[in-house]
Amino acid sequence: MSSVIATTRFSVLDRSRIREGHTGAQALRDTVELAREAERLGYHRFWVAEHHGVPGVAGSAPTVLAAAVAGATRTIRVGTGGVMLPNHRPLVVAEQFGVLESLFPGRIDMGLGRSVGFTDGVRKALGRDKEDADDFGAQLAELLGWFRGTSPTGVRARPAEGLTVPPFVLAMGEGAAVAARAGLPMVIGDLRDRDRMRRGIDRYRAGFRPSAWRAEPYVVVSGTIAVAGTPEAARRLLVPEAWSMAHARTRGSFPPLPPAEEVESRTMTAKERDLYDAGLAGHIAGTEEQVADELESLLEDTGAQEVLVTTSTYDREALRDSYRRLARVTGADMFAGQA
């Protein structure tokens, strides 16, 4: 194992993807079980995501799901990747994380994003519009103020006030600048556009202002990593998600994940094929040796302190095997069972 890999943290983000022939309830149970496996394998964090009105995703309430994950595990850090702050009132978000931190002290992370609902219908249902994302910096400052007891309203966020819940900013687009100004850790993806990722990291580091939350920049890079016994088997892990993305971009609906063999037997239009092939490209996928080489290159290129793995696929056993193999590559399994 290279020294750069050995000194890097590795964590997991699971989006509770629904599989064809299975229910949303099963997807949520799969997430909790994967968290237990991630803890056994020595991963540093386990995060869950927020999606609304998406047929293929069950994770619509990340703080609720985070509570279930934290209750089912003992040592792994648990958080959100992320709560989309423009969708919510900052006071309510502070209260939710205050409850989580009170129940599971020292284990909760607060990952925050600036996206609003993906479609007009979802935004209307949430009572939001696209412009709400423009206020993310002010919303973030208000949220952090609830923990510090600095709200000018005279209201106290209980039990959040006085607690320390580490905040992270999902740095898509303007998020990098917001994270830098606020002096917070940044989470940036995806691995398929390495040049864009590098530019975002450079902007973040150049604009970083030390804060009470963090004295120095902290970069988490996120993306899909698939590890298997052969390159072909690793590639097949990517097939269901690549097809679902191609389907969403041609038909406007993000579907449940199909089995890889079903996708490979389908006839696709030229546009679908192009999008599908693009969805398979640019990820880190291969054998343990190949993935180790690619990870070393990624970490040397970005200087990231942490990697957040976001892999989704239909075959749950193959997914668990991928995480087991990755734990061997990264040395995460050496820390299994440690707090």
Side-chain angles (χ1 to χ4, degrees):
M1 185 197 316
S2 73
S3 60
V4 67
I5 292 177
T7 57
T8 302
R9 289 169 167 167
F10 285 82
S11 300
V12 177
L13 167 66
D14 190 69
R15 288 176 291 143
S16 302
R17 293 286 276 113
I18 299 171
R19 295 176 289 154
E20 278 190 6
H22 298 266
T23 64
Q26 183 62 55
L28 296 172
R29 289 192 289 268
D30 287 343
T31 292
V32 174
E33 182 52 42
L34 184 61
R36 293 192 186 103
E37 180 73 3
E39 181 173 77
R40 286 193 290 267
L41 293 171
Y43 286 94
H44 185 62
R45 309 179 203 277
F46 190 94
W47 283 6
V48 297
E50 175 182 339
H51 296 275
H52 298 284
V54 180
V57 182
S60 57
T63 53
V64 176
L65 185 53
V69 168
T73 54
R74 295 185 306 106
T75 58
I76 195 168
R77 295 196 65 85
V78 177
T80 55
V83 166
M84 297 300 123
L85 194 50
N87 290 339
H88 311 281
R89 294 301 308 165
L91 170 61
V92 175
V93 175
E95 290 171 337
Q96 291 172 346
F97 279 98
V99 170
L100 283 169
E101 176 64 20
S102 298
L103 290 171
F104 309 101
R107 292 180 56 206
I108 300 301
D109 299 321
M110 185 168 58
L112 306 161
R114 66 185 296 271
S115 297
V116 291
F118 187 66
T119 66
D120 289 340
V122 169
R123 288 190 291 272
K124 183 177 181 181
L126 291 170
R128 298 292 185 267
D129 55 44
K130 289 182 179 180
E131 287 69 33
D132 286 311
D134 297 336
D135 296 328
F136 178 62
Q139 294 160 356
L140 179 63
E142 180 183 343
L143 172 61
L144 299 181
W146 288 115
F147 286 92
R148 304 183 71 105
T150 58
S151 172
T153 65
V155 175
R156 300 297 182 88
R158 308 200 188 276
E161 186 174 319
L163 298 180
T164 299
V165 182
F168 295 73
V169 172
L170 276 61
M172 305 303 176
E174 293 302 312
V178 173
R181 288 194 298 270
L184 299 180
M186 175 184 76
V187 183
I188 188 167
D190 64 40
L191 303 179
R192 290 176 296 177
D193 193 342
R194 202 69 57 83
D195 289 340
R196 183 184 179 198
M197 175 182 280
R198 199 163 40 236
R199 290 194 299 271
I201 291 170
D202 289 345
R203 286 197 301 271
Y204 166 71
R205 289 193 175 118
F208 185 86
R209 301 175 185 172
S211 71
W213 299 96
R214 185 126 202 127
E216 297 178 345
Y218 188 87
V219 174
V220 183
V221 294
S222 68
T224 295
I225 302 174
V227 196
T230 66
E232 295 75 20
R235 180 186 178 279
R236 294 191 87 237
L237 280 165
L238 308 176
V239 165
E241 185 77 6
W243 165 251
S244 292
M245 291 297 296
H247 185 282
R249 290 175 179 171
T250 53
R251 307 185 193 186
S253 177
F254 198 63
L257 294 174
E261 57 270 20
E262 181 183 314
V263 173
E264 291 168 339
S265 67
R266 286 179 176 172
T267 300
M268 303 184 196
T269 66
K271 184 175 183 181
E272 285 173 339
R273 174 63 64 179
D274 288 344
L275 289 168
Y276 170 69
D277 289 341
L280 291 172
H283 307 289
I284 294 179
T287 64
E288 292 174 33
E289 294 78 11
Q290 290 170 324
V291 166
D293 288 343
E294 290 193 56
L295 279 175
E296 186 170 2
S297 175
L298 169 71
L299 295 170
E300 289 177 346
D301 193 28
T302 62
Q305 289 101 326
E306 187 168 341
V307 178
L308 183 66
V309 186
T310 63
T311 309
S312 297
T313 196
Y314 179 90
D315 187 334
R316 297 299 295 186
E317 178 51 41
L319 180 64
R320 288 190 291 269
D321 181 65
S322 177
Y323 277 115
R324 287 192 288 265
R325 291 174 181 272
L326 181 60
R328 290 199 294 266
V329 168
T330 64
D333 56 356
M334 294 188 298
F335 302 99
Q338 299 180 23

